[in-house]
Amino acid sequence: MNKILLVEDDKDIQEINKYMLDERGYNVSLAMNLTEARQCITQFAPDLIVLDIMLPDGSGLDFMEELRKHGNSIPILLLTALSTPKDKVEGLRRGGNDYLAKPYDYDEFVMRIEVMLRSKQQENERVRLAVEAAEQNKEVLTFGGLTLNNTARNAYVNGKLLNLTQMQVGLLLLLARHKNETLTYAYLYETIWGQPLVDDSQALRSAIAKIRNEIAGCGYSLSSERGIGYRFEQGEYR
């Protein structure tokens, strides 16, 4: 559930905005001024802020600029009575993600929040995929006493080179990159051998048995989930 902080000193506006967001399942926190807003950000950790500009204890623009200077990139919708094009440009220039002038349509208000949250989710997904891609391309991976070299396609346990073929190292790398996740027999076979798994593969079972024997003592092992597949996880194989 997304958490939204409403920073607004007009109680009527605050209450109706909260109602609109509550109806759509958001977790809403309220602040009447910047002092309360700072406390809410620390304690509530919102996913988005709806921020008035003219507040009793200061300017919402100054507050927003303060957040941005400290590296806080939380999406901010500026909701204000300041409605000239110059006001809007200034608000966006100083760090706002969107700008909505009062009076406003409530459906549009909710829609803009939904669009901002969707953009944030998409950005988070792009970052996750980028990190995952970087990890996939990482040359050396270490798990306890096990060291895997993606480029050379070799593996070591406590500094000793393992007697594994490049295909077996590739299988171990695939499992290690999905640590604690059970990968199916079919997925493993099709990825490493490049062809569909028709029946129970002796080649896959033999490769797993060889890898288990070679990596013994490294602190990690390959466990099996009967009828499903194999998993790379911490602990010795039993």
Side-chain angles (χ1 to χ4, degrees), residues 130-163:
V131 170
E132 187 176 278
E135 186 65 26
Q136 291 286 334
N137 293 324
K138 192 175 179 181
E139 184 176 355
V140 177
L141 294 86
T142 302
F143 302 90
L146 174 66
T147 301
L148 299 169
N149 190 307
N150 183 39
T151 304
R153 284 296 167 117
N154 56 31
Y156 295 79
V157 167
N158 300 322
K160 178 184 176 182
L161 180 64
L162 303 186
N163 183 27

Side-chain angles (χ1 to χ4, degrees), residues 115 117-127:
V115 168
L117 288 172
R118 186 161 61 245
S119 295
K120 180 184 178 183
Q121 290 166 355
Q122 290 170 345
E123 178 60 25
N124 288 342
E125 179 65 9
R126 283 194 291 269
V127 170

Side-chain angles (χ1 to χ4, degrees), residues 9-236:
D9 65 333
D10 185 316
K11 197 164 186 178
D12 292 335
I13 292 176
Q14 196 179 66
E15 286 180 355
I16 194 166
N17 285 347
K18 184 178 187 306
Y19 173 79
M20 296 292 294
L21 295 171
D22 284 341
E23 284 289 294
R24 287 161 175 81
Y26 293 109
N27 184 2
V28 181
S29 184
L30 306 176
M32 297 291 290
N33 52 55
L34 297 179
T35 301
E36 292 179 4
R38 289 185 179 91
Q39 293 173 348
C40 285
I41 288 174
T42 301
Q43 299 169 4
F44 183 64
D47 297 299
L48 181 144
I49 299 174
V50 178
L51 179 63
D52 192 7
I53 292 179
M54 296 181 291
L55 292 160
D57 55 348
S59 164
L61 294 181
D62 292 340
F63 171 68
M64 181 172 60
E65 215 168 41
E66 172 190 319
L67 290 177
R68 298 306 189 223
K69 285 179 180 177
H70 286 86
N72 192 324
S73 60
I74 184 170
I76 296 176
L77 169 61
L78 292 165
L79 186 66
T80 175
L82 301 175
S83 58
T84 70
K86 183 179 179 181
D87 293 324
K88 182 175 182 179
V89 168
E90 179 70 1
L92 297 175
R93 183 185 67 80
R94 293 180 66 178
N97 298 85
D98 200 357
Y99 196 105
L100 187 60
K102 302 172 184 176
Y104 52 92
D105 179 82
Y106 294 117
D107 288 332
E108 181 183 0
F109 166 70
V110 174
M111 179 274 295
R112 291 195 184 215
I113 286 175
E114 290 174 349
V115 168
M116 290 170 68
L117 288 172
R118 186 161 61 245
S119 295
K120 180 184 178 183
Q121 290 166 355
Q122 290 170 345
E123 178 60 25
N124 288 342
E125 179 65 9
R126 283 194 291 269
V127 170
R128 186 191 69 79
L129 291 174
V131 170
E132 187 176 278
E135 186 65 26
Q136 291 286 334
N137 293 324
K138 192 175 179 181
E139 184 176 355
V140 177
L141 294 86
T142 302
F143 302 90
L146 174 66
T147 301
L148 299 169
N149 190 307
N150 183 39
T151 304
R153 284 296 167 117
N154 56 31
Y156 295 79
V157 167
N158 300 322
K160 178 184 176 182
L161 180 64
L162 303 186
N163 183 27
L164 295 174
T165 67
Q166 288 195 350
M167 183 174 284
Q168 289 165 349
V169 173
L171 177 59
L172 178 54
L173 275 164
L174 178 60
L175 285 157
R177 285 179 177 138
H178 293 269
K179 185 175 70 171
N180 298 324
E181 179 183 346
T182 299
L183 302 183
T184 66
Y185 305 130
Y187 175 76
L188 291 168
Y189 193 83
E190 290 172 14
T191 302
I192 299 302
W193 277 269
Q195 55 188 354
L197 178 64
V198 178
D199 298 306
D200 187 19
S201 172
Q202 179 60 42
L204 178 57
R205 293 201 307 273
S206 296
I208 293 292
K210 175 67 172 175
I211 294 169
R212 279 175 173 160
N213 183 62
E214 288 289 317
I215 68 173
C218 77
Y220 284 80
S221 61
L222 302 182
S223 64
S224 57
E225 193 166 340
R226 190 173 180 82
I228 300 177
Y230 299 104
R231 180 173 61 252
F232 180 81
E233 60 186 8
Q234 195 166 14
E236 294 299 322

